Amino acid sequence: MFEIMKADKTIDFMRWSKVAFMFSIAMIAAAIFTLSTKWLNWGLDFTGGTLIEVGFEQPANLEDVRSALDAEGFGDATVQNFGSSRDVMVRLRPRDGVQAEALGNQILSAIQQGTGESVEMRRIEFVGPNVGDELTEAGGLAILVSLICILIYVSIRFEWRLAAGAVMALAHDVIITLGIFSLLQIEVDLTIVAALLTVVGYSLNDTIVVFDRIRENFRKMRKGDPSEVMNNSITQTLSRTLITSGTTLFVVIALFTQGGAMIHGFALALLLGITVGTYSSIYVASALALKLGIQREHLMPTQIEKEGEELDEMP
């Protein structure tokens, strides 16, 4: 039975588990240090501020727009194309004592004088700081609740040691991704939160596939220690993991390079999350379950499951 279930060329992944753990711990420590010193560069969605959309008659030169705004004291403005090369979005941090409409007129005047072009005001939106605080709390709560729900689901579906490994792997992915965003001071907005939740779902799906094979092999491979079962299971699912991650990364890379500034942060979060998530499915989730002492008897079917299997096999 062992020979039937064993992969043709089993890769000894667990051989490098200690090195992988040290690498992951170092990455998490670096991410936490960066987050504690630099924190995150919160975007307008979270800090509040003013969003102004203007339209040009000709394709806009963003560098000229930034220079014009900087000369008028708006050096902190974020300038990017929106929709087309003639539409420009300007985002500003909150300014005390200045109304959104007056600020919009100042921005419009600064762009017209600095670029010498005719510019039309399209839209002005103001996000208050209270709304930003609520979004920050809601975003963090959404990620936390998703991790708790995943812990409960995997505990019921598999076993608590595997559940702990899965949730730790997901937290590992989120912390490292946020650490990189903090290090590079990339603006974090609601699309980044959406990307992180997407990464959590994607990484969990990958981990569940590996765990399902681990449980199956624990029940069928009567010989071999848990480390061998882990190596064999990961090897058997490796092609699926690489193909799925590879095809997904092709799409994400296309979004990152060609999608424009509006989804640049979203695509980067997915790119980092999927890469780290693929690594964690192999070296964090499974290896941590092994460190917690997962054994064959922990995954053997209960009496109810055995009776159900016998009924399924009846003609």
Side-chain angles (χ1 to χ4, degrees), residues 7 23 78 90 126 146 167 183 205 233 237 259 282 298:
F23 174 74
T78 301
V90 180
F126 176 75
S146 67
V167 172
L183 178 65
N205 177 68
S233 302
T237 57
I282 298 173
H298 298 145

Side-chain angles (χ1 to χ4, degrees), residues 4 61 80 85 195 204 218 229 253 262 266:
I4 292 175
N61 187 319
Q80 60 191 52
S85 60
L204 176 66
F218 262 121
V229 176
I253 291 172
M262 287 298 295
F266 176 81

Side-chain angles (χ1 to χ4, degrees), residues 31-39 182:
I32 292 175
F33 175 78
T34 304
L35 287 168
S36 62
T37 54
K38 289 188 173 183
W39 195 220
S182 175

Side-chain angles (χ1 to χ4, degrees), residues 208-249:
I208 291 298
V209 170
V210 177
F211 281 1
D212 196 53
R213 185 56 60 90
I214 288 173
R215 181 177 58 179
E216 179 183 349
N217 284 346
F218 262 121
R219 294 177 177 181
K220 293 184 178 181
M221 293 170 58
R222 301 304 181 186
K223 298 181 181 179
D225 57 25
S227 180
E228 288 182 83
V229 176
M230 291 284 187
N231 287 328
N232 196 41
S233 302
I234 296 172
T235 301
Q236 290 174 354
T237 57
L238 184 62
S239 59
R240 179 264 175 203
T241 299
L242 294 179
I243 291 173
T244 304
S245 299
T247 52
T248 306
L249 284 175

